[in-house]
Amino acid sequence: MKPFTYERATTPAAAASAAARVPGAKFIAGGTNLLDLMKIGVEEPAHLIDVNGLDLDTIEPTDEGGLRLGAMVRNTDLAADARIRRDYPLLSRALLAGASGQLRNKATTGGNLLQRTRCPYFYDTNQACNKRLPGSGCAAIGGFSRQHAIVGASKSCIAVHPSDMAVAMRALDATVETVRPDGSTRRIPIADFHTLPGNTPHIENVLAPGELITAVTLPRPVGGTQLYHKVRDRASYAFALVSVAMIVQPDGSGRVALGGVAHKPWRVEAAETEFPKGAKAVATRLLAGAQPTEGNAFKVTLVERTIAASLAEAKEAKA
Amino acid sequence: MKFDTPATTNPIDRLKVVGQPVDRIDGPFKTTGTAHYAYEQHEAVPHHAYGYVVGSSIAKGRIVSIDLTRAQRAPGVLAIVTAKTAGKLDKGKFNTARLLGGPEIEHYHQAVAVVVAETFEQARAAAQLVRVDYARSPGKFDLAAAKDSARKPDRGKSDTAVGDFAAGFAASAVKLDAMYTTPDHSHAMMEPHASIAAWEGDKLTLWTANQMIDWGRGDVAITLGIPKENVRLISPYIGGGFGGKLFVRSDALLAALGARAAKRPVAVALPRPFMINNTTHRPATIQRIRIGASKDGKIQAIGHESWSGDLPGGDPETAVQQTRLLYAGANRMTATRLAVLDLPEGNAMRAPGEASGLMALEIAIDEMAEKLGMDPVEFRILNDTQVDPEKPDRPFSQRRLVECLRTGAKRFGWEHRATRPATRRDGRWLVGMGMAAAFRNNLVMKSGARVRLDRNGRVTVETDMTDIGTGSYTIIAQTAAEMMGLPLDRIDVRLGDSTFPVSSGSGGQWGGNSSTAGVYAACVKLREAIAQKLGLDPNAANFEDGKVAVGQRSVPITQAAAAGDVVAEDSMEYGDLGKRYQQSTFGAHFVEARVDAATGEIRVDRMLAVCAAGRILNPKSARSQVIGAMTMGVGAALMEELVVDRRLGFFVNHDLAGYEVPVHADIPHQDVVFLDETDPMSSPMKAKGVGELGICGVAAAVANAVYNATGVRVRDYPVTLDKFIDTLPPVA
Ligand SMILES: Cc1cc2nc3c(=O)[nH]c(=O)nc-3n(C[C@H](O)[C@H](O)[C@H](O)COP(=O)(O)OP(=O)(O)OC[C@H]3O[C@@H](n4cnc5c(N)ncnc54)[C@H](O)[C@@H]3O)c2cc1C
Ligand code: SF4
């Protein structure tokens, strides 16, 4: 770990401007991802800005009838919130499917969105990795890629975004709110927030240097049956092989987003028009152009079958 | 004391303390954080520095140059040791690869330097500044590709043959010929390999996590080229080992070298990725099993071949072992082949040989039973043998496999198993049952102890035996209490110090029986000494309730030590009973598992193990051993695999996020039954081992349950959904 300096920010705007002022600065929230990466030399910030003291840990109603989730709300608190459980059960389920109780107690809404990939080559500084060291190559391509992307990947990187929470937020059409170093704020639809790897896999989202996430807002509740189906080799404390976030309305229409298949939560709105035709049609549209590796081709089948299981479960829940 | 005739009645048979489910003596220390592990000996070694290991970033090749300039200038750095500066080093008897590499590199993450600094963080930061320039050479990393180049290993039996396997197999009415694979496994114990080294002149003390103190002491001496007497190993508590700590690893050597260079005690712990690529692992196997039987289910021919790989000079995984002994059959063969692989060193992990061998064999037996239209329990019972099938005049000392199978089937409700696979359903789940036989040889090892009675009537036992979480402290105290006729709280047990008499150590499930037998021997001597002091006939004396009695005369035991401690030391050695009788432990595992009909996710519902393993010295700690082993078996069945990058030559998933082991949610209801058994051929304790028996066969029982649920046979472990999802019926 490289030595670093540390400060506690007092206001969101001050945090953002501090981040822009000090080269190599990073925010630290729960630290559950950042500290691990610093210890093994994957992240080497020169300066840490602690955002835990910012007043961003509340869940408030919005004027539009939705909820504003402060960036510092812990995953545990978010999952347990009565309004979330009642109106956005998908989000609660996705959160509870992730990590462990101890980790969720520390992990924050903002930090979860920005957690980095679990590609094992990214974690091993001996290996080529364009995400960690741009231009060094990608050891996962042709290597162990069971967990990796099947859609939206590139010749530079085939990593997936590991978050469960973000997949639910994508299905719920959440919006990310930020403050920039100059004090201005903006709202970024979650669909535009994470990026595909392309030639720049080290860039994972549209945040500008120093830009701080202050909140995530959820639109008015959409109702329906909300399911989060996470498929994994062991029963708990494992990242998804694939996950399916689904909302099915009484009329059979719905939404679906996938985790574990791409560099970002994967949703193709056009695929949702296929709901009446069933899982195969939905999966085919969702995964159009999929280019799995030899090691993860099973995910294509798995996605379709998990969608089918979710559709069946939604039907049952309605009946 | 020599054990060369079957045990007769002795004080242990009273079973006042031995055989009782007493709590672990070390439990309160562990739950309160007062059991200090090797890396936590800050009180014993107050001002130590920290060493951080630099591992090779290539799997095979040479170091061209090492640039230490930046690391040396980093804050807090006290010393850096590489092979160039370490002085002459030898290789330990038990090591295949050298613990400090360079210029030649034998495997990925082989240590190439240790950086010593004031704090752990400084050492780690500086270690990240060491620049090593390597020249790679091509290596062999793919067992399947190297299989045909595999040869008979130099050590051990590579081939066995009885009768005429080829003819017997050809003539059999029902035949199976199948290939199975098991992947590389990591011990993945909680406590990392860790050591603190302190020099006093030319004498070295190492607080280290090690299962075999005397082996370790010897290998440290050999490696450093110093007399064994100058080395002291201390290892009072060990946070799991599973075989990973049988041998000295780089943490111990580099702590010693770092301390010598820094002229300060140094602590070194291996980070998790190093535990996987720097230390040892259970090697992967490819296994071929052929079984031929008559129509009525009698095995006529059984053949088992196994291929594994290791670094040059290494050893094979002896996966065919149990097949020589488990089932009857006149025509038999086994073959073991070893390929050269340039992966990290393969070595023993919990039940080496049998664990991997039974993963394959017990699927094969399930397949045969199905081909024969027989119940798998009945098929096994039909082919039981009470003698060594290779030497029919050599009986088993005890063999109650049939009783294990029958008891298990009854208690588990085996009769509810669907005989046709893929026919039981519970909502979205396909449900199945599977079972397997468990078999693990019983090994005995010479083991010594020193016992001392003091004037307060306390008895202290000293032996270099280790407690790796198994309960050694407790069963040793129970043994001494029983022998001396004292309550358990009057016994103090001190373990894991090379200044104590050499013990069996912990490995190969021999530790429980062997170390307590050593304590038994020492206690017999102590009883004699005490009786003599009290003027009583040692042969007639009865030690009970704190008193020594002969006839009407009864004297408090404390009186013997009134004028000073009474001390006795002895060890237990073994004659040829192990040769004359085949000594093994037996069991049966039953598993119910469910498979998500849509996703193929597998979850185990309930498990039962029935064990016949001689006298159970402490049913509570024995049960803990078995349920832990069953848990590990679930891991082997469903998730554990060190994934080899066959291009770069290393285990890619080298942390506990990538190398998945079962979590609580994976482990359902577990039941363990011990048959009431004593084995007078094993030792005066009449006990055998259970810690490894518990894992033997578990993975196959799970795999057989999955087959029973899905109707899809997976012969390549771990049984993960990607291997059969394509064959599941459409989602309803
Ligand atoms: C063993 C393990 C298992 C896990 N399993 C799962 C799982 O199954 N599913 C899952 O979804 N996740 C899992 N996680 C990941 C976990 O959810 C994340 O580590 C956590 O959500 C990160 O939140 P944090 O607050 O600790 O972030 P930090 O580690 O503090 O920060 C992460 C990143 O976000 C940046 N950041 C933090 N807050 C802000 C902000 N407000 N504005 C801008 N940037 C910010 C930081 O600079 C850093 O780059 C697991 C983690 C571990 C260690
Ligand atoms: S997949 Fe992406 S993260 Fe993984 S090694 Fe390749 S570039 Fe790095």
Side-chain angles (χ1 to χ4, degrees), chain A residues 47-297:
Chain A
H47 183 64
L48 285 186
I49 300 159
D50 188 337
V51 293
N52 283 284
L54 302 183
D55 261 348
L56 298 173
D57 55 357
T58 54
I59 303 173
E60 311 278 0
T62 63
D63 296 343
E64 293 78 34
L67 287 177
R68 173 175 286 108
L69 323 173
M72 295 308 303
V73 174
R74 308 288 156 174
N75 285 179
T76 296
D77 298 331
L78 187 55
D81 186 87
R83 292 160 293 181
I84 296 288
R85 291 176 51 168
R86 187 187 62 222
D87 297 332
Y88 308 92
L90 175 61
L91 180 57
S92 185
R93 288 186 181 135
L95 282 160
L96 293 175
S100 69
Q102 295 95 324
L103 285 160
R104 293 193 298 266
N105 288 343
K106 288 298 283 180
T108 61
T109 309
N112 192 318
L113 278 178
L114 295 181
Q115 65 174 295
R116 309 207 63 194
T117 185
R118 292 279 159 175
C119 169
Y121 300 96
F122 172 73
Y123 268 74
D124 187 339
T125 50
N126 290 330
Q127 306 307 332
C129 171
N130 289 323
K131 186 183 279 300
R132 180 170 25 78
L133 190 65
S136 62
C138 169
I141 296 175
F144 175 47
S145 58
R146 184 168 183 262
Q147 296 276 356
H148 287 70
I150 54 173
V151 275
S154 72
K155 284 200 172 65
S156 299
C157 178
I158 58 171
V160 297
H161 193 271
S163 170
D164 292 298
M165 180 194 82
V167 180
M169 287 181 171
R170 178 71 178 90
L172 290 166
D173 282 332
T175 303
V176 181
E177 298 190 346
T178 68
V179 57
R180 283 181 280 201
D182 64 5
S184 63
T185 60
R186 64 167 171 160
R187 296 167 50 88
I188 309 162
I190 186 115
D192 304 332
F193 184 79
H194 293 104
T195 53
L196 289 177
N199 294 326
T200 53
H202 59 289
I203 298 170
E204 295 169 352
N205 55 61
V206 298
L207 291 180
E211 192 167 1
L212 176 81
I213 299 176
T214 50
V216 172
T217 55
L218 299 175
R220 298 175 64 84
V222 294
T225 302
Q226 305 195 359
L227 301 168
Y228 190 74
H229 207 138
K230 181 174 179 181
V231 183
R232 44 191 157 171
D233 293 319
R234 67 178 172 191
S236 172
Y237 202 28
F239 291 95
L241 292 168
V242 308
S243 67
V244 171
M246 190 181 278
I247 303 173
V248 184
Q249 298 299 345
D251 65 1
S253 68
R255 305 178 184 181
V256 60
L258 303 177
V261 299
H263 203 250
K264 59 187 216 174
W266 193 252
R267 183 171 169 201
V268 178
E269 275 80 351
E272 290 159 8
T273 60
E274 308 278 0
F275 264 51
K277 289 195 205 142
K280 192 173 180 62
V282 175
T284 307
R285 281 291 276 278
L286 257 175
L287 299 183
Q291 282 187 312
T293 68
E294 205 182 310
N296 67 22

Side-chain angles (χ1 to χ4, degrees), chain A residues 1 39-40 120-121 124 126-127 139 141-144 146 230-235 238 298 301-302 305-306 309, chain B residues 57 108 124-125 128 597-599 601 603 643 645 647-648 650 652 654 660-661 663 666 720 722 725-726 728-729:
Chain A
M1 178 154 50
K39 287 177 199 168
I40 56 173
Y121 300 96
D124 187 339
N126 290 330
Q127 306 307 332
I141 296 175
F144 175 47
R146 184 168 183 262
K230 181 174 179 181
V231 183
R232 44 191 157 171
D233 293 319
R234 67 178 172 191
F298 73 94
T301 315
L302 188 57
R305 295 183 70 95
T306 310
Chain B
S57 65
Y108 192 73
R124 184 176 56 193
Q128 287 165 355
T599 63
E601 284 166 288
R603 304 288 179 251
V643 179
D645 187 310
R647 310 157 306 169
L648 303 168
F650 74 112
V652 187
H654 50 184
E660 289 183 10
V661 298
V663 294
D666 291 297
T720 47
D722 46 311
I725 184 121
D726 280 330
L728 289 179

Side-chain angles (χ1 to χ4, degrees), chain B residues 20-210:
Chain B
Q20 301 304 317
V22 302
D23 288 346
R24 288 248 303 268
I25 290 174
D26 49 329
F29 306 133
K30 290 189 172 163
T31 46
T32 56
T34 48
H36 291 162
Y37 292 83
Y39 200 65
E40 301 171 323
Q41 298 284 347
H42 311 300
E43 279 165 32
V45 205
H47 298 294
H48 66 74
Y50 290 85
Y52 199 87
V53 181
V54 180
S56 164
S57 65
I58 64 163
K60 193 173 162 64
R62 290 179 71 77
I63 295 175
V64 177
S65 63
I66 303 187
D67 180 1
L68 301 176
T69 341
R70 282 180 68 209
Q72 267 156 345
R73 271 195 239 120
V77 170
L78 300 169
I80 303 178
V81 182
T82 65
K84 230 183 191 162
T85 59
K88 187 179 168 329
L89 295 176
D90 234 318
K91 200 172 75 183
K93 234 167 61 183
F94 294 96
N95 294 136
T96 304
R98 282 164 312 126
L99 299 179
L100 178 59
E104 195 201 339
I105 296 298
E106 294 162 286
H107 64 85
Y108 192 73
H109 271 179
Q110 185 171 29
V112 296
V114 61
V115 179
V116 180
E118 290 288 347
T119 70
F120 170 78
E121 286 75 14
Q122 288 172 333
R124 184 176 56 193
Q128 287 165 355
L129 298 176
V130 172
R131 289 285 160 267
V132 187
D133 191 12
Y134 298 95
R136 278 180 203 263
S137 34
K140 293 202 171 72
F141 310 119
D142 183 351
L143 176 61
K147 176 171 171 271
D148 291 337
S149 69
R151 305 199 181 288
K152 289 185 184 180
D154 298 336
R155 291 179 290 269
K157 245 193 161 78
S158 60
D159 294 276
T160 64
V162 174
D164 184 341
F165 172 78
F169 184 67
S172 293
V174 180
K175 293 190 202 96
L176 170 87
D177 181 352
M179 301 292 293
Y180 305 84
T181 63
T182 65
D184 298 282
H185 284 157
S186 175
H187 305 87
M189 59 281 185
M190 287 292 281
E191 184 204 18
H193 296 79
S195 299
I196 301 182
W199 290 90
E200 226 175 285
D202 56 358
K203 292 203 163 56
L204 170 67
T205 305
L206 267 172
W207 288 261
T208 185
N210 192 293

Side-chain angles (χ1 to χ4, degrees), chain B residues 451-453 457-461 480 484 486 490-492 526:
Chain B
V451 282
R452 174 186 298 109
L453 173 72
R458 297 195 70 79
V459 168
T460 304
V461 186
M484 305 315 298
L486 290 171
R490 294 262 290 272
I491 313 293
D492 297 309
L526 183 63

Side-chain angles (χ1 to χ4, degrees), chain B residues 474-522:
Chain B
T474 314
I475 56 170
I476 284 173
Q478 286 175 276
T479 304
E482 194 77 76
M483 289 299 289
M484 305 315 298
L486 290 171
L488 201 55
D489 61 12
R490 294 262 290 272
I491 313 293
D492 297 309
V493 179
R494 301 175 63 196
L495 300 183
D497 186 327
S498 61
T499 59
F500 300 155
V502 174
S503 74
S504 63
S506 301
Q509 81 170 8
W510 63 60
N513 178 45
S514 300
S515 69
T516 52
V519 174
Y520 172 97

